[in-house]
Amino acid sequence: MQFGFYPHGVTVTDEIALDYSDAFLQVQVLIDTHEITIEIAQALQTIEDEFREMSLLPELWSQDALFLHDKWDNLRVNAMTILRSLGEEFEHPGQSQDTYIF
């Protein structure tokens, strides 16, 4: 889980969605450079769409929801499927190098 990645005091669920959204902006570049297929791009789009739908449901953005709600489980399953399709393995993220100002 990404709790070790983000510093104490941030809303982890929000940060996960924001980080994904930022990375998703590169999908077209990855298609253009033949680093991913259209099928992978569509699977990535599905995750982006799910985050957008989830944004309408405040109850999904708590720490408990991250661990317990089916929507978050589905996102994890979809992400793992994409990683396997790319021939990649899941690696736990290290500590974030981002600077957070509270």
Side-chain angles (χ1 to χ4, degrees), residues 52-65:
R52 287 179 196 268
E53 290 175 23
M54 289 170 61
S55 71
L56 302 173
L57 304 168
E59 66 272 16
L60 296 178
W61 298 95
S62 68
Q63 180 174 330
D64 286 343

Side-chain angles (χ1 to χ4, degrees), residues 9-72:
V10 302
T11 304
V12 173
T13 50
D14 289 350
E15 294 301 323
I16 292 169
L18 290 169
D19 284 349
Y20 185 86
S21 184
D22 287 347
F24 185 76
L25 295 173
Q26 297 302 310
V27 166
Q28 189 59 52
V29 172
L30 296 172
I31 293 168
D32 293 345
T33 57
H34 307 286
E35 294 181 57
I36 63 171
T37 64
I38 295 296
E39 292 78 18
I40 295 292
Q42 290 169 338
L44 293 168
Q45 180 67 58
T46 298
I47 293 175
E48 179 71 2
D49 293 344
E50 188 68 25
F51 273 128
R52 287 179 196 268
E53 290 175 23
M54 289 170 61
S55 71
L56 302 173
L57 304 168
E59 66 272 16
L60 296 178
W61 298 95
S62 68
Q63 180 174 330
D64 286 343
L66 179 61
F67 288 105
L68 302 173
H69 201 282
D70 289 345
K71 292 249 184 220
W72 284 101

